[in-house]
Amino acid sequence: MESKAEQQMTNQKHEQSENEKEYGKIQWFFYVIFIPFIFAIVTSIVVMTMAGIDVPKLAQKYSTKIEEMSSVFSGEDNIEIANKKISLLQKTIEEQKKEISNLKTEIKRKQSDLEGSQKEIEKLTKDLHELEEKQQLATMQLKEVVKVYETMSAKKAAAILSELPNEESLDILKTMNNEAKAAILEKMDPKKAAQLTIMLKPE
């Protein structure tokens, strides 16, 4: 009986020793790993908060990234979806490339049109300047001719102007001063004078 009791006591001690070892391992895990880990996390959170970092937002950002990574590696379905997305993006890129190419072509066409218009404008401007110069020269020449007529006697001037076409006579008379004009018309043939007077009237 004593031997059996001793055996039981030995077994109980052995079980107690095993339990103590297990408890010691749990204690070691909590004191050496878990508690320092929690302390490190809490300390990091406090330091980041004091540094002005938005810890909840940062945690949400990294949790979202982790979810995205896990969704990428979660199975064949997600790989198929990713492939479809890649295919769709490639198609979109190709369409955008075509649109960019079309826009570049349109820009070149517009630039060419603009250059053509610019050349046309330059040509018209040059023509305009040339016409203005010719007009100024013609005006100066006409004034010189008018001076000659104004220095003539009214009778002589009337005789010469009567021989000219009405349009040319009219240009000379319009440039003359009123006194010389009246004296010349008075010396002209009444019929010619009447025609020129009517043509001068609107002026």
Side-chain angles (χ1 to χ4, degrees):
M1 292 291 290
E2 286 179 3
S3 176
K4 192 173 181 180
E6 285 176 2
Q7 184 68 34
Q8 285 179 348
M9 285 184 68
T10 302
N11 290 338
Q12 284 176 356
K13 284 180 180 179
H14 182 70
E15 286 176 5
Q16 187 176 0
S17 175
E18 290 293 325
N19 288 336
E20 285 176 358
K21 283 181 183 179
E22 189 68 29
Y23 179 73
K25 285 181 183 178
I26 292 169
Q27 268 189 327
W28 180 86
F29 174 77
F30 269 96
Y31 284 109
V32 176
I33 296 174
F34 185 73
I35 292 173
F37 179 71
I38 296 298
F39 180 75
I41 290 173
V42 171
T43 305
S44 299
I45 290 170
V46 170
V47 170
M48 285 191 288
T49 304
M50 290 176 70
I53 298 170
D54 191 349
V55 178
K57 188 175 180 180
L58 190 65
Q60 185 180 2
K61 178 183 175 183
Y62 282 102
S63 66
T64 305
K65 285 189 176 181
I66 290 166
E67 286 174 8
E68 288 175 357
M69 291 297 291
S70 64
S71 68
V72 168
F73 296 104
S74 62
E76 292 181 0
D77 291 342
N78 286 331
I79 290 170
E80 189 178 346
I81 291 168
N83 286 335
K84 283 181 180 178
K85 284 184 178 178
I86 289 167
S87 178
L88 185 64
L89 285 169
Q90 285 175 337
K91 187 179 177 183
T92 304
I93 288 166
E94 288 301 319
E95 287 174 355
Q96 287 174 345
K97 280 182 180 178
K98 286 180 183 177
E99 190 175 351
I100 288 167
S101 178
N102 291 336
L103 285 170
K104 283 181 178 178
T105 304
E106 184 66 18
I107 287 167
K108 284 181 181 178
R109 190 180 68 79
K110 293 287 185 185
Q111 283 177 338
S112 179
D113 291 345
L114 186 63
E115 286 172 5
S117 298
Q118 188 66 33
K119 286 179 182 177
E120 185 65 23
I121 289 167
E122 287 173 2
K123 182 181 177 301
L124 290 170
T125 304
K126 185 181 176 183
D127 291 345
L128 177 64
H129 286 159
E130 287 177 358
L131 284 171
E132 285 176 343
E133 286 175 3
K134 285 179 181 179
Q135 186 181 29
Q136 287 175 359
L137 181 61
T139 303
M140 287 174 63
Q141 290 173 342
L142 181 62
K143 285 181 178 178
E144 291 297 321
V145 172
V146 168
K147 282 182 182 178
V148 172
Y149 277 95
E150 284 178 341
T151 56
M152 288 182 187
S153 64
K155 185 178 179 180
K156 193 173 181 180
I160 296 170
L161 289 175
S162 295
E163 298 298 321
L164 294 175
N166 286 349
E167 287 75 15
E168 291 182 20
S169 299
L170 183 66
D171 287 337
I172 294 168
L173 287 169
K174 281 195 292 186
T175 312
M176 285 183 173
N177 60 61
N178 290 333
E179 187 179 347
K181 192 186 300 181
I184 290 169
L185 287 171
E186 186 180 348
K187 297 294 180 181
M188 270 187 183
D189 176 70
K191 188 177 179 181
K192 178 84 171 179
Q195 289 173 351
L196 291 172
T197 303
I198 290 168
M199 292 172 76
L200 283 167
K201 194 172 181 181
E203 297 296 321

